[in-house]
């Protein structure tokens, strides 16, 4: 069992890496980053455990659910996620929770489990259920490989609590979404309880480390190293010439058109998004599709641009990142392949397309 | 008709103009002083003396200044402020001023978090803890110069901010109380920061206004109305700015963009304001500066109030050219001593431009430049300067194709006659006074931003109520009631939220009396 520590000076690296892995979605981790800094200011450091050996240990997921736009106004009290965990334990007849895991590593939810860990003293395990960001609760490797999100506890800052026992991941998601809205658009959740053996088999491992590494490289402006580390490719460089957006069923859907510069002049790239970037294509050729990651960086400061911040005139670099192998399995693609998002496109891994 | 005086405080020069209607009847430039006020007073006295007997026709004085920004940068003479954040049990995760620089944070002497606040739907998170507000009043009485109050989602429902203010007043708090819904939009920390910054500089502006009044009065001018340039390219009366000085921090930058419009009549264009050390590039959108859509940092603090979208490059008249390298250092106002054309020994951007564009400035001799540098070298440097400006135009453009470009400021004479991306380059007459003229001829403005759920309130009623609110605000800021008109309505849907949640922004402008 390896451990390492996160300190206050690591937070900016973590949030930069999490923005990158958010693939345009997952929300701006700025608020979560500040909350985490506050915890680390008093705690000093937080222990991250890599590959715990105890196969019977119990792991539980911790996350924020809802609209990032609500979170920037209704900032959490920061103990909601901890209370959700305590309620989970209570509902499960005083179940001992040995480890906390993030559900996703992209965006704001990279920080929430660390705050929960700081508040509870329960160590965090280095991995998550997406290896990036996705919009819905059932879109995790845990679920693809047979772990149920239920029972799930959902908690708000006032102390209102619901326990959901959905018949499957979709129902759990649908019910939780409605409760989240009633709670005021943001809620804090505890779910996906499992033993360590299942966790190690199902999770995308070592992703906290990955986010920290990528963030450090990005903050040092070493994009080439990021590409090497992730076996990623630059897909395109250009200027945003059109952004189309509409809100549909609660999701921000649309596309962005980028006109090429340098080696890419006389070409245009279109990226479709639904919270996250989903499909990148030139005129007749599909370059990358979900679950592989499409990341859009500002050409000048190399900071990731989220889908809601896209605007005309931005000069950008577009990067394609191979998704973790666990996201590319047949089981996973049913839930997070292009077809799951309504595209009649086969998933072909980025490494085979380019 | 009356004479209007406009003064704009730049980093090197303070410009003053006197206008009768739209015609410039006097103009002057003085050196900006470190405290800004002295230079401002010098410019004021100088322009008034140029008017001679006509000084009695002066009706109003418009000022674009960075007094607020300077005071915050220096962290001196600021108010002691208490911040009350309403929203518990939410909001506790990041206390007020958590990531502030220490020099400013120490002026925020009391920080409270209180139960209350609202959801995005407008319903209460919890009831407002009125007892706690009463306790706070006891605790801070006579110990602070101003109070800042921010409540969660006060841009949807401002009841708790207003109620808190009423309680503080009932309990005898007589200092200014700044409410966040009057300062900024969505984003609690950013709005709270802007509200506190506003509270910190209230006295700076009170003192400035008093000083200006006594100077005017000493010159026998008792009835001159004073206005300040705001960040959005409009002006507001002294009474309004006394309460909301933070709206002036980007006034000078906006003035030159607004001035570019007023001098040319071109409503949509890229504006390049070329000064001594930098070129500020902004965009005219229907006659007013385009606003930034992302959080703007002021003295290292994230805020979200309305600021012009500006891209600054380190290239101005005094920019030093050294072995092909252009800037970022500048000789600034020492150009007329140090520039080669003036007998100095530093090659500046102005020296290069004079040779290439074949013009000259007072007391300059561009031939001195050609004695030291080859024409090929100079044209290569000028090519690179041109490219820097072209890149800046490209970055600020909002759509495909070429755009009109307006060049203003003291250095606008250096701008090439043709540039890639520019359909036409206009350098208007009096371009060097664009900022002061912009302040003088603009309108009184007000902006209000709120968030609504169109499922709980009818869209037309919501927008109408917002327009009424903005109009009232404009009238408070000095606009004549029947001239106030809507300039812009912006609706932005908020993703992920049901109930048709929409952010609405209304801007109005009117003539001043």
């Amino acid at each position: 069992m390896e451990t390492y520590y996160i300190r206050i000076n690591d937070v900016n690296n973590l949030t930069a890496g999490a923005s990158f892995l958010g693939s345009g979605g997952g929300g701006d981790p700025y608020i979560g980053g500040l909350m985490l800094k506050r915890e680390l200011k008093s705690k000093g450091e937080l222990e991250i455990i890599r590959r715990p050996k105890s196969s019977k240990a119990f792991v539980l997921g911790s996350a924020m659910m809802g609209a990032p736009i609500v979170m920037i106004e209704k900032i959490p009290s920061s103990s909601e996620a901890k209370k959700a965990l305590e309620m989970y334990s209570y509902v499960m007849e005083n179940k001992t929770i040995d480890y906390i895991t993030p559900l996703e590593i992209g965006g704001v939810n990279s920080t929430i489990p660390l705050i929960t860990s700081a508040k509870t003293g329960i160590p965090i395990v280095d991995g998550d259920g997406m290896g990036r960001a996705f919009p819905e609760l059932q879109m995790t490797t845990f679920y693809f490989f047979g772990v149920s999100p239920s029972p799930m506890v959902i908690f708000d800052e006032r102390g209102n609590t619901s326990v959901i026992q959905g018949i499957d991941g979709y129902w759990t998601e649908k019910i939780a979404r409605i409760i989240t809205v009633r709670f005021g658009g943001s809620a804090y959740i505890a779910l996906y309880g499992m033993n360590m053996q299942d966790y190690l088999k199902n999770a995308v491992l070592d992703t906290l480390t990955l986010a920290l590494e990528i963030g450090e490289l990005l903050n040092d402006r070493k994009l080439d190293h990021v590409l090497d580390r992730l076996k990623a490719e630059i897909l395109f460089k250009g200027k945003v010439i059109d952004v189309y957006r509409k809100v549909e069923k609660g999701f921000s859907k649309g596309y962005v058109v980028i006109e090429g510069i340098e080696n890419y002049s006389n070409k245009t790239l279109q990226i479709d998004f639904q919270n996250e970037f989903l499909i990148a294509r030139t005129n007749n050729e599909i370059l990358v599709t979900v679950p592989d990651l499409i990341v859009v960086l500002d050409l000048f400061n190399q900071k990731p641009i989220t889908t809601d911040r896209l605007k005309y005139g931005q000069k950008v670099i577009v990067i394609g990142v191979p998704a973790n192998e666990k996201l590319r399995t047949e089981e996973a693609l049913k839930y997070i392949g292009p077809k799951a998002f309504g595209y009649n496109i086969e998933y072909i891994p980025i490494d085979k397309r380019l | 008709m009356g004479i209007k005086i406009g003064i704009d405080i730049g980093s090197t020069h303070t410009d003053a103009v006197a206008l009768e209607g739209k015609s410039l009847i006097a103009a002057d430039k003085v050196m900006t002083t470190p405290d800004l006020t002295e230079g401002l007073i010098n410019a004021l006295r100088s322009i008034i003396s140029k008017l001679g007997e006509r000084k009695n026709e002066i009706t109003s004085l418009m000022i674009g200044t960075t007094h607020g920004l300077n005071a915050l940068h220096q962290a001196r003479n600021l108010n002691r402020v208490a911040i009350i954040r309403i929203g518990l049990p939410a909001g506790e995760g990041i206390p007020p001023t958590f990531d502030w620089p220490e020099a400013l944070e120490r002026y925020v002497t009391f920080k409270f978090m209180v139960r209350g606040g609202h959801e995005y739907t407008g319903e209460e998170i919890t009831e407002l803890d009125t007892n706690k507000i009463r306790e706070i009043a006891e605790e801070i009485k006579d110990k602070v110069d101003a109070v800042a109050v921010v409540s969660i989602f006060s841009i949807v429902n401002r009841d708790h901010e207003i109620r808190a203010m009423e309680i503080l007043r009932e309990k005898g708090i007589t200092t200014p109380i700044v409410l966040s819904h009057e300062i900024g939009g969505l984003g609690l920390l950013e709005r709270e920061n802007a509200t506190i910054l506003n509270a910190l500089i209230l006295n700076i502006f009170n003192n400035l206004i008093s000083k200006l009044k006594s100077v005017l009065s000493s010159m026998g001018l008792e009835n001159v109305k004073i206005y300040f340039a705001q960040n959005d390219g409009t002006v507001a009366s002294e009474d309004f700015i006394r309460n909301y000085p933070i709206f002036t921090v980007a006034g000078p930058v906006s003035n030159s963009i607004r001035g570019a419009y007023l001098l040319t009549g071109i409503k949509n264009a890229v504006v390049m304001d070329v000064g001594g050390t930098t070129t500020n590039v902004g965009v005219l959108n229907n006659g007013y500066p385009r606003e930034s859509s992302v959080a703007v940092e002021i003295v290292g603090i994230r805020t979200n109030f309305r600021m012009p979208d500006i891209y600054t490059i380190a290239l101005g008249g005094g920019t030093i050219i050294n072995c092909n390298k252009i800037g970022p250092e500048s000789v600034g106002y020492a150009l007329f001593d140090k520039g080669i054309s003036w007998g100095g020994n530093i090659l500046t951007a102005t020296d290069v431009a004079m040779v290439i564009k074949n013009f000259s400035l007072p007391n300059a001799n561009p031939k001195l430049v050609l004695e030291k540098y080859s024409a090929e070298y100079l044209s290569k440097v000028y090519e690179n300067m041109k490219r820097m400006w072209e890149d800046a135009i490209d970055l600020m453009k909002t759509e495909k194709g070429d755009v009109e470009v307006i060049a203003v400021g003291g250095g606008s004479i250096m701008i090439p006659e043709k540039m890639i991306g520019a359909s036409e380059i206009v350098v208007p007459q009096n371009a060097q006074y664009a900022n002061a003229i912009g302040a003088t001829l603009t309108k009184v403005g007000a902006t209000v931003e709120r968030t609504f759920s169109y499922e709980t309130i009818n869209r037309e009623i919501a927008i109408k109520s917002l327009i009424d609110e903005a109009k009232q605000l404009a009238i408070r800021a000095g606009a004549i009631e029947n001239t106030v008109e809507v300039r812009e309505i912006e609706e932005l849907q908020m993703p992920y939220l049901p109930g048709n949640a929409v952010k609405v922004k209304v801007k109005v402008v009117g003539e001043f009396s």
Side-chain angles (χ1 to χ4, degrees):
Chain A
M1 190 162 81
E2 290 173 58
T3 67
Y4 69 97
Y5 294 89
I6 286 191
R7 298 184 180 83
I8 198 162
N9 292 334
D10 299 320
V11 176
N12 288 344
N13 290 338
L14 177 69
T15 53
S19 292
F20 186 97
L21 293 170
S23 195
D28 180 354
Y30 175 70
I31 296 280
L34 283 183
M35 281 164 54
L36 181 56
K37 280 182 185 169
R38 184 178 176 226
E39 297 300 329
L40 291 170
K41 221 174 187 176
S42 56
K43 288 256 168 356
E45 57 189 22
L46 256 183
E47 192 179 20
I48 312 282
I49 314 259
R50 304 183 74 179
R51 319 285 172 107
K53 297 273 186 288
S54 48
S55 63
K56 293 231 162 55
F58 189 74
V59 195
L60 185 62
S62 169
M64 178 256 184
M65 181 167 186
I69 204 163
V70 167
M71 197 181 178
I72 66 167
E73 182 70 29
K74 194 171 73 166
I75 292 169
S77 83
S78 84
S79 55
E80 295 95 338
K82 168 192 170 223
K83 289 183 177 155
L85 221 72
E86 287 166 358
M87 183 57 77
Y88 185 96
S89 172
Y90 173 77
V91 169
M92 298 292 281
E93 294 166 347
N94 296 323
K95 179 99 191 159
T96 304
I97 295 148
D98 303 301
Y99 295 98
I100 294 166
T101 177
L103 295 187
E104 62 183 336
I105 198 64
V108 66
N109 269 332
S110 65
T111 53
I112 298 293
L114 289 158
I115 295 157
T116 314
S117 170
K119 290 270 184 205
T120 55
I122 300 172
I124 195 157
V125 50
D126 192 354
D128 75 292
M130 296 181 185
R132 48 169 290 163
F134 279 123
E136 296 183 5
L137 290 180
Q138 77 282 1
M139 296 176 170
T140 66
T141 51
F142 309 140
Y143 188 66
F144 312 151
F145 301 127
V147 179
S148 169
S150 296
M152 166 183 174
V153 171
I154 180 163
F155 199 91
D156 78 4
E157 66 283 334
R158 283 164 287 239
N160 292 311
T161 311
S162 285
V163 181
I164 301 168
Q165 183 68 52
I167 53 167
D168 61 23
Y170 288 103
W171 275 103
T172 310
E173 158 71 28
K174 275 192 265 191
I175 298 163
R177 192 69 56 184
I178 287 169
I179 295 170
T180 300
V181 167
R182 195 61 200 85
F183 281 178
S186 63
Y188 299 82
I189 54 178
L191 68 171
Y192 282 116
M194 69 193 103
N195 66 39
M196 187 55 72
Q197 195 180 352
D198 287 341
Y199 181 83
L200 292 175
K201 198 172 77 201
N202 298 334
V204 184
L205 294 172
D206 303 328
T207 46
L208 276 168
T209 314
L210 181 68
L212 282 162
E213 281 178 24
I214 294 170
E216 187 176 357
L217 292 170
L218 275 184
N219 285 335
D220 290 346
R221 306 190 59 132
K222 292 179 179 159
L223 185 58
D224 287 346
H225 292 75
V226 175
L227 300 179
D228 289 348
R229 174 72 181 79
L230 294 169
K231 299 188 175 64
E233 303 269 355
I234 290 182
L235 301 175
F236 208 72
K237 276 187 195 177
K239 177 175 170 171
V240 174
I241 56 163
D242 191 19
V243 185
Y244 173 78
R245 236 190 293 264
K246 64 176 178 191
V247 176
E248 197 180 290
K249 291 178 191 158
F251 291 114
S252 172
K253 289 187 179 181
Y255 60 81
V256 54
V257 182
I258 302 163
E259 185 181 70
I261 53 170
E262 295 172 22
N263 299 337
Y264 305 90
S265 49
N266 303 320
K267 283 187 193 168
T268 55
L269 182 81
Q270 174 174 329
I271 314 175
D272 293 11
F273 56 80
Q274 178 183 316
N275 298 356
E276 286 82 25
F277 296 112
L278 298 178
I279 312 273
R281 57 186 137 197
T282 54
N283 301 352
N284 294 314
E285 189 191 3
I286 290 169
L287 300 180
V288 184
T289 74
V290 73
D292 290 334
L293 286 74
I294 299 160
V295 184
V296 177
L297 301 180
D298 183 292
L299 182 68
F300 299 100
N301 64 22
Q302 304 191 344
K303 293 231 157 64
I305 300 173
T306 52
T307 52
D308 54 331
R309 286 272 161 91
L310 286 168
K311 64 172 187 179
Y312 179 95
Q314 283 165 334
K315 295 226 173 117
V316 297
I317 310 176
V318 184
I319 293 165
V321 184
N324 184 280
E325 287 305 325
K326 282 179 178 159
L327 298 179
R328 294 172 155 196
T329 57
E330 214 169 295
E331 299 96 312
L333 290 172
K334 274 191 281 182
Y335 301 97
I336 53 167
K339 289 195 170 125
F341 290 93
Y343 291 90
N344 192 20
I345 296 172
E346 289 300 324
Y347 170 69
I348 302 170
I350 174 176
D351 7 342
K352 300 221 170 79
R353 282 194 189 270
L354 298 178
Chain B
M1 176 181 285
I3 293 171
K4 289 175 182 167
I5 305 285
I7 299 181
D8 186 276
I9 306 180
S11 55
T12 49
H13 290 110
T14 297
D15 294 328
V17 296
L19 282 102
E20 188 175 24
K22 284 189 175 177
S23 58
L24 185 67
I25 54 174
D28 203 4
K29 256 185 204 298
V30 304
M31 299 312 293
T32 296
T33 53
D35 73 336
L36 306 184
T37 304
E38 204 184 328
L40 169 60
I41 303 287
N42 291 343
L44 180 61
R45 286 187 193 280
S46 164
I47 195 84
I48 290 176
S49 72
K50 281 195 175 185
L51 288 175
E53 274 314 296
R54 295 196 69 189
K55 74 175 184 187
N56 295 318
E57 293 170 48
I58 300 172
T59 54
S60 48
L61 167 64
M62 278 80 179
I63 296 164
T65 180
T66 51
H67 268 82
L69 210 51
N70 262 41
L72 292 170
H73 267 298
Q74 295 168 354
R76 283 213 312 257
N77 304 324
L78 301 172
N79 283 340
R80 293 166 302 161
V81 174
I83 166 71
I84 302 173
R85 182 198 288 172
I86 301 166
L88 289 186
E92 207 180 356
I94 306 167
T97 72
F98 176 73
D99 58 344
W100 277 42
E102 211 184 312
L104 286 173
E105 196 265 340
R106 67 194 165 93
Y107 285 95
V108 187
T109 47
F110 291 91
K111 293 165 207 162
F112 302 99
M113 291 195 262
V114 180
R115 289 177 70 84
H118 292 85
E119 303 285 359
Y120 78 93
T121 53
E123 70 175 325
E124 285 183 345
I125 297 173
T126 57
E127 235 177 85
L128 178 65
D129 186 348
T130 50
N131 287 332
K132 176 76 181 169
I133 307 274
R134 288 189 189 92
E135 282 170 33
I136 290 171
E138 300 288 348
E139 198 177 335
I140 63 174
K141 207 169 189 176
D142 305 321
K143 292 189 188 130
V144 295
D145 306 306
V147 184
V149 180
V150 54
S151 168
I152 290 182
F153 275 117
S154 63
I155 58 160
V156 178
N157 189 331
R158 56 200 156 153
D159 287 357
H160 287 183
E161 286 187 1
I162 289 171
R163 185 75 195 110
M165 179 178 71
E166 287 167 358
I167 295 169
L168 293 171
R169 289 279 180 249
E170 281 162 22
K171 295 289 287 179
I173 300 293
T174 54
T175 61
I177 298 170
V178 190
L179 306 183
S180 83
H181 74 270
E182 298 183 331
I183 301 287
L186 191 69
L188 182 76
L189 293 181
E190 291 87 349
R191 186 171 73 252
E192 176 178 271
N193 288 343
T195 309
I196 302 173
L197 291 177
N198 187 72
L200 286 170
I201 59 173
L202 288 167
N203 267 345
I204 306 270
F205 275 78
N206 252 320
N207 294 340
L208 174 63
I209 291 164
S210 305
K211 202 157 199 171
L212 284 168
K213 290 202 147 177
S214 73
V215 169
L216 288 170
S217 159
S218 73
M219 302 178 90
L221 302 171
E222 301 289 351
N223 295 320
V224 175
K225 288 187 177 151
I226 303 172
Y227 295 84
F228 285 89
Q230 304 194 93
N231 306 332
D232 66 355
T234 63
V235 296
S237 69
E238 48 162 299
D239 288 335
F240 187 82
I241 293 303
R242 253 185 227 278
N243 295 319
Y244 307 104
I246 200 73
F247 291 155
T248 67
V249 289
V253 180
S254 295
N255 276 345
S256 40
I257 299 173
R258 183 77 181 135
Y261 160 65
L262 292 164
L263 289 174
T264 60
I266 302 170
K267 279 189 165 182
N268 295 292
V270 167
V271 178
M272 317 190 78
D273 181 9
V274 191
T277 53
T278 58
T279 301
N280 284 329
V281 187
V283 176
L284 264 174
N285 182 13
N286 275 323
Y288 286 87
R290 182 176 82 202
E291 286 173 11
S292 173
S293 59
V294 295
V296 182
E297 283 206 350
I298 292 180
V299 291
I301 295 170
R302 247 163 92 125
T303 66
N304 66 351
F305 59 102
R306 308 174 299 278
M307 293 286 271
D309 191 3
I310 295 293
Y311 181 67
T312 302
I313 53 173
L315 175 56
T319 295
I320 297 170
I321 315 291
N322 192 0
C323 305
N324 276 329
K325 192 174 150 280
I326 299 170
E329 300 81 14
S330 167
V331 296
Y333 55 80
L335 176 64
F336 308 126
D337 295 326
K338 296 189 172 162
I340 294 202
S341 307
W342 287 271
N345 55 8
I346 294 175
L347 182 67
T348 66
T350 305
D351 291 314
V352 176
M354 277 196 289
V355 173
I356 302 299
K357 281 194 73 188
N358 198 17
F359 67 88
S360 187
L361 290 170
N363 308 318
N365 179 8
K367 280 184 188 143
L368 295 175
V369 181
L370 279 167
E371 283 171 14
K372 288 198 173 176
Y373 298 92
S374 72
E376 296 90 89
Y377 174 77
L378 295 171
S379 50
K380 205 172 113 200
V381 170
Y382 190 73
E383 253 329 287
N384 289 335
M385 287 163 54
K386 180 166 168 258
R387 198 160 305 135
M388 286 171 77
W389 283 315
E390 286 171 344
D391 284 347
I393 293 172
D394 193 43
L395 252 173
M396 297 302 286
K397 260 183 357 189
T398 46
E399 50 196 75
K400 257 180 162 170
D402 291 349
V403 285
E404 278 193 284
V405 172
I406 308 168
V408 295
S412 55
I413 193 165
M414 302 196 300
I415 293 280
E417 271 133 36
K418 281 201 161 62
M419 285 194 281
I420 295 170
S423 59
E424 193 190 353
I425 297 167
V426 183
V427 185
Q429 210 188 349
N430 296 321
Q432 70 271 37
Y433 296 114
N435 43 16
I437 292 171
T440 321
L441 292 182
T442 197
K443 296 185 173 187
V444 176
T447 305
V448 180
E449 184 183 304
R450 294 279 176 271
T451 306
F452 298 102
S453 158
Y454 284 164
E455 263 173 26
T456 53
I457 181 169
N458 174 287
R459 175 171 175 266
E460 279 69 37
I461 293 172
I463 292 177
K464 168 101 178 32
S465 74
L466 211 56
I467 290 173
D468 289 345
E469 195 182 331
K471 282 188 173 172
Q472 286 311 312
L473 204 62
I475 292 162
R476 273 173 65 197
I480 302 171
E481 185 164 358
N482 59 19
T483 66
V484 180
E485 57 181 27
V486 177
R487 182 163 73 74
E488 194 182 309
I489 298 174
E490 185 189 282
E491 288 176 276
L492 201 72
Q493 279 205 305
M494 309 211 298
Y496 305 85
L497 297 178
N500 210 350
V502 183
K503 194 170 85 172
V504 188
K505 188 167 85 175
V506 169
K507 281 175 161 277
V508 300
V509 291
E511 304 294 336
F512 45 80
S513 41

